Amino acid sequence: RSGVAEPVLVINKRRSQAVEDKETNPLLKREVSAATFFYRDKFVLLGTGNEVLMYKYALDDYSGPNDLQKLANKSRYRLVFAHTQQASQNVTTLAAINRFESPYVLYATSNRMVNVLDTATSQVVRSYE
């Protein structure tokens, strides 16, 4: 179909697109409420349910004329970090500095909290009500 853009990467499984075992690599349980690039585009952050998930990714850059090869998309991803916010039901939004390498992620939750998450230590370093 001419003029229709196809997604280059679809993140729909928890661990990786390469692991087929549904018990160890289930589909994401909840909708993705927020997504952003992180750490100078090296990672993608997703807010889904009460979790902040960080994925390392590699995009297939095939742009040749063969449509069959284009359909065999070789983009990939894998989970490298997961943080669960026990006190809330949903991560409503998240933000991260992407212009320079900073380990901090801000995210807001359904219980009206804003948290600063340090991805280097896996700890919430500050919370605001």
Short mmCIF file of all heavy atoms in Angstrom, two decimals, residues 9-48:
data_model
loop_
_atom_site.label_atom_id
_atom_site.label_comp_id
_atom_site.label_asym_id
_atom_site.label_seq_id
_atom_site.Cartn_x
_atom_site.Cartn_y
_atom_site.Cartn_z
N LEU A 9 9.15 -1.01 14.72
CA LEU A 9 9.31 -1.83 15.91
C LEU A 9 8.00 -1.82 16.69
O LEU A 9 7.42 -0.75 16.91
CB LEU A 9 10.43 -1.27 16.79
CG LEU A 9 10.72 -1.98 18.10
CD1 LEU A 9 11.26 -3.38 17.85
CD2 LEU A 9 11.71 -1.18 18.93
N VAL A 10 7.55 -2.98 17.11
CA VAL A 10 6.36 -3.11 17.95
C VAL A 10 6.78 -3.83 19.22
O VAL A 10 7.23 -4.98 19.17
CB VAL A 10 5.24 -3.91 17.23
CG1 VAL A 10 4.06 -4.12 18.18
CG2 VAL A 10 4.81 -3.20 15.97
N ILE A 11 6.66 -3.15 20.35
CA ILE A 11 6.99 -3.76 21.64
C ILE A 11 5.68 -4.23 22.24
O ILE A 11 4.86 -3.43 22.68
CB ILE A 11 7.71 -2.77 22.57
CG1 ILE A 11 9.03 -2.33 21.94
CG2 ILE A 11 7.93 -3.40 23.94
CD1 ILE A 11 9.77 -1.27 22.73
N ASN A 12 5.46 -5.54 22.26
CA ASN A 12 4.22 -6.08 22.80
C ASN A 12 4.42 -7.25 23.75
O ASN A 12 3.48 -7.74 24.34
CB ASN A 12 3.28 -6.49 21.65
CG ASN A 12 3.87 -7.56 20.77
OD1 ASN A 12 5.02 -7.96 20.93
ND2 ASN A 12 3.11 -8.02 19.81
N LYS A 13 5.66 -7.70 23.91
CA LYS A 13 5.97 -8.77 24.86
C LYS A 13 6.87 -8.22 25.95
O LYS A 13 7.62 -7.27 25.75
CB LYS A 13 6.66 -9.93 24.15
CG LYS A 13 5.76 -10.63 23.16
CD LYS A 13 6.45 -11.82 22.56
CE LYS A 13 5.54 -12.52 21.58
NZ LYS A 13 6.22 -13.63 20.91
N ARG A 14 6.77 -8.82 27.12
CA ARG A 14 7.47 -8.27 28.28
C ARG A 14 8.99 -8.32 28.15
O ARG A 14 9.66 -7.34 28.39
CB ARG A 14 7.04 -9.02 29.54
CG ARG A 14 7.80 -8.56 30.77
CD ARG A 14 6.94 -8.57 31.98
NE ARG A 14 7.74 -8.30 33.15
CZ ARG A 14 7.86 -7.11 33.69
NH1 ARG A 14 7.21 -6.10 33.18
NH2 ARG A 14 8.60 -6.93 34.74
N ARG A 15 9.58 -9.45 27.80
CA ARG A 15 11.03 -9.58 27.82
C ARG A 15 11.70 -9.25 26.50
O ARG A 15 12.68 -8.53 26.46
CB ARG A 15 11.43 -10.99 28.25
CG ARG A 15 11.21 -11.23 29.72
CD ARG A 15 11.69 -12.58 30.21
NE ARG A 15 12.86 -13.08 29.57
CZ ARG A 15 13.03 -14.36 29.25
NH1 ARG A 15 12.11 -15.24 29.52
NH2 ARG A 15 14.13 -14.76 28.67
N SER A 16 11.22 -9.86 25.41
CA SER A 16 11.88 -9.73 24.12
C SER A 16 10.96 -10.28 23.05
O SER A 16 10.13 -11.14 23.32
CB SER A 16 13.20 -10.51 24.14
OG SER A 16 13.72 -10.69 22.86
N GLN A 17 11.14 -9.82 21.81
CA GLN A 17 10.36 -10.40 20.74
C GLN A 17 10.90 -11.76 20.34
O GLN A 17 10.21 -12.54 19.69
CB GLN A 17 10.32 -9.45 19.53
CG GLN A 17 11.49 -9.56 18.57
CD GLN A 17 12.81 -9.06 19.13
OE1 GLN A 17 12.89 -8.48 20.20
NE2 GLN A 17 13.86 -9.29 18.40
N ALA A 18 12.11 -12.11 20.74
CA ALA A 18 12.74 -13.36 20.32
C ALA A 18 12.33 -14.56 21.16
O ALA A 18 12.42 -15.69 20.71
CB ALA A 18 14.26 -13.20 20.36
N VAL A 19 11.88 -14.35 22.39
CA VAL A 19 11.50 -15.45 23.28
C VAL A 19 10.04 -15.80 23.03
O VAL A 19 9.16 -14.98 23.21
CB VAL A 19 11.72 -15.07 24.76
CG1 VAL A 19 11.31 -16.20 25.68
CG2 VAL A 19 13.18 -14.67 24.99
N GLU A 20 9.78 -17.03 22.62
CA GLU A 20 8.43 -17.44 22.26
C GLU A 20 7.64 -18.04 23.43
O GLU A 20 6.44 -18.22 23.33
CB GLU A 20 8.48 -18.45 21.11
CG GLU A 20 8.95 -17.83 19.81
CD GLU A 20 8.04 -16.72 19.31
OE1 GLU A 20 6.82 -16.78 19.52
OE2 GLU A 20 8.57 -15.77 18.72
N ASP A 21 8.28 -18.39 24.54
CA ASP A 21 7.61 -19.02 25.67
C ASP A 21 6.65 -18.02 26.32
O ASP A 21 7.06 -16.99 26.85
CB ASP A 21 8.64 -19.51 26.68
CG ASP A 21 8.01 -20.22 27.86
OD1 ASP A 21 6.82 -20.57 27.79
OD2 ASP A 21 8.72 -20.43 28.85
N LYS A 22 5.34 -18.32 26.29
CA LYS A 22 4.33 -17.40 26.80
C LYS A 22 4.33 -17.29 28.32
O LYS A 22 3.84 -16.32 28.87
CB LYS A 22 2.94 -17.81 26.31
CG LYS A 22 2.78 -17.62 24.83
CD LYS A 22 1.41 -18.03 24.37
CE LYS A 22 1.30 -17.83 22.87
NZ LYS A 22 0.03 -18.26 22.34
N GLU A 23 4.90 -18.28 29.01
CA GLU A 23 4.96 -18.21 30.48
C GLU A 23 6.07 -17.28 30.95
O GLU A 23 5.90 -16.51 31.88
CB GLU A 23 5.13 -19.60 31.07
CG GLU A 23 3.87 -20.43 30.98
CD GLU A 23 4.01 -21.75 31.72
OE1 GLU A 23 4.80 -21.83 32.67
OE2 GLU A 23 3.30 -22.69 31.33
N THR A 24 7.23 -17.35 30.33
CA THR A 24 8.35 -16.51 30.74
C THR A 24 8.38 -15.18 30.00
O THR A 24 9.10 -14.28 30.41
CB THR A 24 9.69 -17.23 30.54
OG1 THR A 24 9.85 -17.54 29.14
CG2 THR A 24 9.76 -18.50 31.36
N ASN A 25 7.64 -15.08 28.91
CA ASN A 25 7.63 -13.86 28.12
C ASN A 25 6.21 -13.52 27.67
O ASN A 25 5.89 -13.59 26.49
CB ASN A 25 8.55 -14.02 26.90
CG ASN A 25 8.78 -12.71 26.19
OD1 ASN A 25 8.77 -11.65 26.80
ND2 ASN A 25 8.99 -12.78 24.90
N PRO A 26 5.33 -13.15 28.62
CA PRO A 26 3.94 -12.89 28.25
C PRO A 26 3.80 -11.57 27.50
O PRO A 26 4.69 -10.72 27.51
CB PRO A 26 3.23 -12.81 29.60
CG PRO A 26 4.30 -12.32 30.54
CD PRO A 26 5.58 -12.95 30.05
N LEU A 27 2.64 -11.40 26.86
CA LEU A 27 2.31 -10.11 26.28
C LEU A 27 2.19 -9.08 27.40
O LEU A 27 1.94 -9.43 28.56
CB LEU A 27 0.98 -10.19 25.53
CG LEU A 27 0.97 -11.05 24.27
CD1 LEU A 27 -0.45 -11.16 23.73
CD2 LEU A 27 1.89 -10.49 23.21
N LEU A 28 2.38 -7.81 27.08
CA LEU A 28 2.18 -6.76 28.08
C LEU A 28 0.75 -6.85 28.58
O LEU A 28 -0.19 -6.94 27.79
CB LEU A 28 2.46 -5.39 27.48
CG LEU A 28 3.90 -5.12 27.05
CD1 LEU A 28 4.00 -3.76 26.38
CD2 LEU A 28 4.85 -5.21 28.21
N LYS A 29 0.57 -6.82 29.90
CA LYS A 29 -0.75 -7.04 30.50
C LYS A 29 -1.68 -5.85 30.36
O LYS A 29 -2.88 -5.99 30.30
CB LYS A 29 -0.59 -7.39 31.98
CG LYS A 29 0.10 -8.70 32.21
CD LYS A 29 0.31 -8.94 33.67
CE LYS A 29 1.14 -10.19 33.86
NZ LYS A 29 1.66 -10.30 35.19
N ARG A 30 -1.13 -4.66 30.35
CA ARG A 30 -1.93 -3.45 30.32
C ARG A 30 -1.52 -2.60 29.12
O ARG A 30 -0.46 -2.81 28.52
CB ARG A 30 -1.71 -2.65 31.61
CG ARG A 30 -1.93 -3.42 32.90
CD ARG A 30 -3.37 -3.50 33.35
NE ARG A 30 -3.98 -2.25 33.62
CZ ARG A 30 -3.94 -1.61 34.79
NH1 ARG A 30 -3.30 -2.10 35.80
NH2 ARG A 30 -4.56 -0.45 34.92
N GLU A 31 -2.35 -1.60 28.82
CA GLU A 31 -2.01 -0.70 27.72
C GLU A 31 -0.82 0.17 28.12
O GLU A 31 -0.56 0.40 29.29
CB GLU A 31 -3.21 0.20 27.36
CG GLU A 31 -3.55 1.24 28.40
CD GLU A 31 -4.41 0.74 29.54
OE1 GLU A 31 -4.82 -0.42 29.56
OE2 GLU A 31 -4.66 1.55 30.46
N VAL A 32 -0.11 0.63 27.13
CA VAL A 32 1.02 1.53 27.35
C VAL A 32 0.46 2.93 27.49
O VAL A 32 -0.16 3.46 26.58
CB VAL A 32 2.04 1.44 26.19
CG1 VAL A 32 3.13 2.48 26.35
CG2 VAL A 32 2.63 0.04 26.11
N SER A 33 0.67 3.54 28.67
CA SER A 33 0.13 4.87 28.93
C SER A 33 1.11 5.98 28.59
O SER A 33 0.71 7.12 28.38
CB SER A 33 -0.28 4.99 30.40
OG SER A 33 0.83 4.73 31.23
N ALA A 34 2.41 5.64 28.52
CA ALA A 34 3.42 6.65 28.20
C ALA A 34 4.64 5.95 27.61
O ALA A 34 4.94 4.82 27.97
CB ALA A 34 3.81 7.42 29.46
N ALA A 35 5.32 6.64 26.71
CA ALA A 35 6.54 6.12 26.11
C ALA A 35 7.45 7.28 25.75
O ALA A 35 6.98 8.34 25.34
CB ALA A 35 6.21 5.31 24.86
N THR A 36 8.76 7.08 25.90
CA THR A 36 9.72 8.10 25.53
C THR A 36 11.09 7.47 25.32
O THR A 36 11.36 6.39 25.84
CB THR A 36 9.80 9.22 26.60
OG1 THR A 36 10.59 10.29 26.10
CG2 THR A 36 10.41 8.73 27.89
N PHE A 37 11.92 8.15 24.54
CA PHE A 37 13.30 7.72 24.40
C PHE A 37 14.07 8.16 25.63
O PHE A 37 13.70 9.13 26.30
CB PHE A 37 13.93 8.32 23.14
CG PHE A 37 13.39 7.72 21.88
CD1 PHE A 37 12.48 8.41 21.10
CD2 PHE A 37 13.78 6.46 21.47
CE1 PHE A 37 11.98 7.87 19.94
CE2 PHE A 37 13.29 5.90 20.31
CZ PHE A 37 12.39 6.61 19.55
N PHE A 38 15.18 7.47 25.90
CA PHE A 38 15.93 7.71 27.13
C PHE A 38 17.42 7.50 26.87
O PHE A 38 17.80 6.65 26.07
CB PHE A 38 15.42 6.75 28.21
CG PHE A 38 16.11 6.85 29.54
CD1 PHE A 38 16.14 8.04 30.24
CD2 PHE A 38 16.72 5.75 30.10
CE1 PHE A 38 16.76 8.13 31.47
CE2 PHE A 38 17.33 5.83 31.33
CZ PHE A 38 17.36 7.01 32.02
N TYR A 39 18.25 8.25 27.59
CA TYR A 39 19.70 8.09 27.61
C TYR A 39 20.27 8.21 26.19
O TYR A 39 20.93 7.33 25.69
CB TYR A 39 20.06 6.74 28.23
CG TYR A 39 21.35 6.73 29.00
CD1 TYR A 39 21.45 7.33 30.24
CD2 TYR A 39 22.47 6.10 28.49
CE1 TYR A 39 22.62 7.30 30.95
CE2 TYR A 39 23.65 6.07 29.19
CZ TYR A 39 23.73 6.67 30.42
OH TYR A 39 24.91 6.65 31.13
N ARG A 40 19.96 9.35 25.57
CA ARG A 40 20.43 9.67 24.21
C ARG A 40 19.98 8.62 23.20
O ARG A 40 20.76 8.14 22.39
CB ARG A 40 21.93 9.87 24.19
CG ARG A 40 22.36 11.05 25.05
CD ARG A 40 23.80 11.33 24.92
NE ARG A 40 24.06 11.71 23.53
CZ ARG A 40 24.85 12.69 23.18
NH1 ARG A 40 25.42 13.41 24.10
NH2 ARG A 40 25.06 12.95 21.93
N ASP A 41 18.72 8.26 23.27
CA ASP A 41 18.07 7.33 22.34
C ASP A 41 18.57 5.90 22.40
O ASP A 41 18.28 5.11 21.51
CB ASP A 41 18.16 7.83 20.89
CG ASP A 41 17.40 9.10 20.65
OD1 ASP A 41 16.51 9.42 21.46
OD2 ASP A 41 17.68 9.77 19.65
N LYS A 42 19.30 5.55 23.46
CA LYS A 42 19.79 4.18 23.57
C LYS A 42 18.71 3.23 24.09
O LYS A 42 18.80 2.02 23.90
CB LYS A 42 21.00 4.12 24.50
CG LYS A 42 22.20 4.85 23.93
CD LYS A 42 23.36 4.83 24.88
CE LYS A 42 24.49 5.67 24.32
NZ LYS A 42 25.56 5.86 25.28
N PHE A 43 17.70 3.78 24.75
CA PHE A 43 16.64 2.98 25.35
C PHE A 43 15.27 3.60 25.05
O PHE A 43 15.17 4.77 24.73
CB PHE A 43 16.81 2.90 26.88
CG PHE A 43 18.13 2.34 27.30
CD1 PHE A 43 19.17 3.18 27.65
CD2 PHE A 43 18.34 0.97 27.36
CE1 PHE A 43 20.39 2.68 28.04
CE2 PHE A 43 19.56 0.46 27.76
CZ PHE A 43 20.59 1.31 28.10
N VAL A 44 14.23 2.78 25.22
CA VAL A 44 12.85 3.26 25.18
C VAL A 44 12.24 2.95 26.54
O VAL A 44 12.38 1.83 27.05
CB VAL A 44 12.03 2.54 24.08
CG1 VAL A 44 10.57 2.87 24.19
CG2 VAL A 44 12.55 2.91 22.71
N LEU A 45 11.59 3.95 27.13
CA LEU A 45 10.88 3.77 28.40
C LEU A 45 9.39 3.64 28.11
O LEU A 45 8.85 4.40 27.31
CB LEU A 45 11.09 4.98 29.31
CG LEU A 45 12.47 5.20 29.87
CD1 LEU A 45 12.53 6.56 30.54
CD2 LEU A 45 12.83 4.11 30.85
N LEU A 46 8.75 2.69 28.78
CA LEU A 46 7.31 2.52 28.66
C LEU A 46 6.69 2.56 30.05
O LEU A 46 7.22 1.97 30.99
CB LEU A 46 6.95 1.18 28.03
CG LEU A 46 7.45 0.87 26.63
CD1 LEU A 46 6.96 -0.50 26.20
CD2 LEU A 46 7.01 1.92 25.65
N GLY A 47 5.56 3.23 30.17
CA GLY A 47 4.74 3.16 31.37
C GLY A 47 3.55 2.28 31.04
O GLY A 47 2.77 2.59 30.14
N THR A 48 3.43 1.16 31.73
CA THR A 48 2.33 0.23 31.48
C THR A 48 1.86 -0.35 32.81
O THR A 48 2.68 -0.86 33.57
CB THR A 48 2.72 -0.88 30.49
OG1 THR A 48 1.64 -1.79 30.35
CG2 THR A 48 3.96 -1.61 30.89
#
